[in-house]
Amino acid sequence: MTHAGPDHNRPGLLGDVEPVEQAEHAGHPLDAAFLVFEDRYGRTCRVYAERCCPGGGPAPALVHCPGGGQTVNRADLADWADKGFACVSFDWQIGRFPDHDPARKSRWPDGVVGQNQCIGDETEAVLPVAIEAAGVCLDWLHASDRVRRDAAGVAGISWGGYLAWLVAAYEPRIAAAVPVYGCGGQCDARHPAAFRLHPAMARLWRERWDPCTVAPRRCKPVCYLSATDDFFGIAPLADGLLNRLQVPHRREWLPNANHCISPGGSALGLAWLRHYLAGGPALPEEPALGDGFAVAADRPADVAGTETWWTPALRDGDLGCW
């Protein structure tokens, strides 16, 4: 089957809601359900999702994308609710994981494979159905009168960060994004986890599902969090992507670390979402490196200090050399 490729998600794609449970976690009420929709190939998908809305007036919406091997985690939902966001999270990982409840796994069409497996046809890829599923989750979240319909964001970590980039690109209701790692570039030989795909599939992947290609064309304001030695957020690839963005953006590179972020990075991502989704204060301009490695930082009275880190040579995809 051939297809011209998606231009954007279709809001209102949610067809049916099959309730699973109403529960409470950390003082917040939660709903769990299977969300039923037809993907752009006419196949039925049943995505397992949970939503959590804070008390009080309508809250901005947030789509949370779990990372590789992860699934819905109620602690994540409650944490976002504590921060004032109505959050929805969904299971999109394919495979058997010991900590996943088989009864709460999304049911994708036959033939769809995991995101890091080789595909022989576009209909085998999980990323396009996961992008649509994120929009369906937003449909469900917006059905609550405790959620604002004019302010939605997306966040995710690792493979969830990769997906967050794509959701921000393809979902028209998203106003801001905070992807953590997952900058893309899997078809680039510099990436230590590069894919080996048939050339036709590699071209398709780069064109439709690689943040390095897709995000500069259509992304929303984005705050990217990563670490200098991260195996899934390769610094040269991520900086190349961020430097091509035509929308407001920020980045954090935690020095000499792999697959973790700093408390300051977490605070930066939260401030980004609060600014774009809840009318919070604007963030300072991104620091710039001038002649002689001098750092120019916005609002110097608010800056406690600056340090300069650099890599002396490119080695192993830029890992371990900061």
Side-chain angles (χ1 to χ4, degrees):
M1 173 182 279
T2 60
H3 192 269
D7 290 323
H8 55 75
N9 272 358
R10 296 166 285 166
L13 190 61
L14 175 60
D16 194 17
V17 178
E18 299 174 355
V20 173
E21 180 186 14
Q22 288 186 323
E24 183 176 292
H25 186 88
H28 295 287
L30 298 124
D31 294 307
F34 280 97
L35 310 180
V36 185
F37 68 98
E38 283 195 358
D39 73 357
R40 60 188 64 253
Y41 300 103
R43 305 174 299 182
T44 298
C45 303
R46 297 176 72 242
V47 58
Y48 179 77
E50 296 189 12
R51 66 181 181 182
C52 177
C53 304
L62 186 87
V63 179
H64 178 267
C65 303
Q70 299 176 355
T71 188
V72 178
N73 186 326
R74 292 184 173 177
D76 292 326
L77 292 162
D79 185 59
W80 283 113
D82 284 338
K83 292 176 169 60
F85 295 90
C87 184
V88 62
S89 185
F90 63 107
D91 174 77
W92 70 284
Q93 302 295 309
I94 294 176
R96 297 180 179 180
F97 301 94
D99 58 343
H100 290 202
D101 181 351
R104 297 179 187 237
K105 293 294 295 176
S106 293
R107 291 140 198 204
W108 301 123
D110 291 341
V112 175
V113 299
Q115 71 279 358
N116 54 357
Q117 296 185 38
C118 290
I119 57 171
D121 182 85
E122 63 186 275
T123 60
E124 297 176 7
V126 71
L127 284 170
V129 287
I131 293 166
E132 289 190 303
V136 167
C137 288
L138 199 51
D139 288 342
W140 185 46
L141 194 58
H142 281 167
S144 170
D145 59 8
R146 298 168 65 185
V147 182
R148 288 176 53 189
R149 291 164 179 78
D150 62 343
V154 62
I157 190 168
S158 195
W159 266 111
Y162 191 110
L163 180 57
W165 276 108
L166 299 178
V167 172
Y170 284 115
E171 173 51 60
R173 292 167 289 183
I174 294 297
V178 179
V180 185
Y181 332 123
C183 65
Q186 266 68 19
C187 294
D188 191 308
R190 292 175 295 172
H191 200 300
F195 285 163
R196 294 182 178 179
L197 296 174
H198 184 278
M201 287 297 100
R203 287 194 297 272
L204 185 74
W205 187 284
R206 282 193 296 266
E207 176 67 20
R208 300 187 192 168
W209 309 313
D210 190 335
C212 284
T213 307
V214 175
R217 297 198 307 258
R218 57 199 305 165
C219 201
K220 314 302 181 352
V222 61
C223 178
Y224 178 71
L225 307 178
S226 192
T228 59
D229 303 336
D230 190 79
F231 75 96
F232 206 58
I234 306 303
L237 300 178
D239 275 333
L241 160 58
L242 289 156
N243 292 342
R244 294 197 306 276
L245 294 180
Q246 300 300 308
V247 294
H249 56 275
R250 292 290 183 279
R251 74 198 83 187
E252 190 216 33
W253 291 107
L254 180 61
N256 298 316
N258 176 31
H259 230 52
C260 57
I261 57 175
S262 69
S266 297
L268 173 63
L270 180 58
W272 189 260
L273 293 171
R274 283 180 170 158
H275 172 61
Y276 282 99
L277 305 183
L283 275 67
E285 291 296 320
E286 190 173 70
L289 192 63
D291 295 337
F293 291 102
V295 178
D298 191 22
R299 300 181 186 175
D302 297 333
V303 176
T306 63
E307 295 181 21
T308 304
W309 294 77
W310 70 93
T311 179
L314 186 66
R315 184 180 75 238
D316 298 331
D318 218 28
L319 299 180
C321 58
W322 287 82

